[in-house]
Structures are given as structure tokens and as C-alpha cells.
Amino acid sequence: MNLPSPYKENDLRKALILNMRDFILELGRDFTFIDAEYKVQVGGEDYAIDLLFFHRGLQCLVALELKIGKFKPEYVSKMDFYLEALDRQVKKEHENPSVGLILCAAKNDEVVEYAMSRSMSPMLVSEYKLQLPDKKILREKLQKSINISE
């Protein structure tokens, strides 16, 4: 993605947006891009979700948060907050509850498990690679994630 070294979350988000068509196709054909830095307002304060999609097959909003470092437990509560805001303010009556995806440069599975053990929100934490793996592997992982959330 031709990111500078070192890069920031904003650099990663901009690179993904520039390569949005390819990025969405890697996620799956049912993803529709809604907006970058999607604004929600809670308690009179503005908050921005890095990327917001709609998944046609699942019939739900998908909030995607990008993190350039290692996964931290506080990312889960932030995503819970975003999903609640989306479900209360944006989700249509006929749609399913919103889903969250936290993409990190690295993660420790045990830390992720502890952080998510009490969360009721449909959420996935995954590592990203600056060089994408084979499309077949990505499709299998995405299908597995979708099956888990259902």
C-alpha cells in the first residue's frame, strides 16, 4: 500500500480508502462502503468510526477500527460503544445488530480472549498484514468469521 515508515492510523486509513475497491473485494462481495471517519454523536460529543460498511448478506452495519500497534483491551470497550451508537442511531428496524472488526498490527490471543470474554457485542479482532495473503485464505477466514457471528 506504499505506506511511509513509520506510519500512523490515518496513513493506513487513507491507503485503504485509495485502494477501497480491492480492499472490499478482499473482504467479500457483500460489503458496501459507507464512509471513512463516520461520525456518531453521543452526549453532545462527536466520535469517529474509522471505516463503516454495510454487509448485504448479514444485513448489518460493520464498524472497522484500525490500530497500527498491538491489540489493547480498551479497544473492545471503544468498539462496544460504537456498536451501541450505531444500533441506536443509524441501524434500520429491519437490519441486524451492528458488527465490529478491530484490525491490529499484532495481537495476543489470550489478551483478546480475556478482553472479549464479557462483551456481548458481535466483534472480531484480527491482525492485518501490509502484504495480503492469498485470496483463498482470506475468503476462508472471512467465511469462518461470518459463521461464528451467526
Side-chain angles (χ1 to χ4, degrees):
M1 289 192 289
N2 297 322
L3 290 169
S5 184
Y7 62 94
K8 299 178 182 175
E9 287 174 19
N10 194 35
D11 297 325
L12 179 60
R13 184 177 55 254
K14 285 179 183 177
L16 285 175
I17 290 169
L18 287 174
N19 295 290
M20 190 56 67
R21 183 184 164 279
D22 294 335
F23 179 68
I24 291 172
L25 289 175
E26 292 295 339
L27 290 174
R29 293 198 179 271
D30 278 350
F31 279 91
T32 303
F33 177 66
I34 295 176
D35 203 359
E37 295 186 310
Y38 186 86
K39 303 286 189 269
V40 291
Q41 191 175 73
V42 178
E45 294 186 43
D46 290 330
Y47 298 89
I49 299 168
D50 286 340
L51 299 170
L52 185 63
F53 296 89
F54 185 81
H55 191 279
R56 294 174 51 221
L58 297 175
Q59 286 293 295
C60 69
L61 295 163
V62 179
L64 197 141
E65 277 295 296
L66 304 167
K67 302 298 177 191
I68 61 170
K70 187 168 86 170
F71 171 81
K72 295 179 183 175
E74 54 264 31
Y75 297 161
V76 172
S77 61
K78 182 178 181 184
M79 181 59 79
D80 278 334
F81 178 81
Y82 288 157
L83 296 177
E84 188 65 25
L86 288 170
D87 284 350
R88 288 188 189 193
Q89 300 174 14
V90 182
K91 177 179 96 62
K92 305 272 189 228
E93 199 172 297
H94 68 278
E95 294 172 352
N96 292 314
S98 302
V99 173
L101 175 59
I102 303 169
L103 288 178
C104 303
K107 68 179 175 97
N108 178 300
D109 289 335
E110 187 175 11
V111 173
V112 171
E113 181 185 339
Y114 273 58
M116 293 182 61
S117 67
R118 296 185 185 239
S119 175
M120 299 302 288
S121 298
M123 192 181 321
L124 175 72
V125 176
S126 185
E127 293 176 324
Y128 62 82
K129 307 288 183 208
L130 294 178
Q131 199 82 38
L132 288 175
D134 182 72
K135 287 182 183 182
K136 182 179 175 186
I137 294 169
L138 284 174
R139 282 191 190 106
E140 289 171 2
K141 287 187 178 204
L142 180 62
Q143 189 59 49
K144 183 179 176 185
S145 298
I146 290 170
N147 291 341
I148 289 170
S149 70
E150 291 177 339

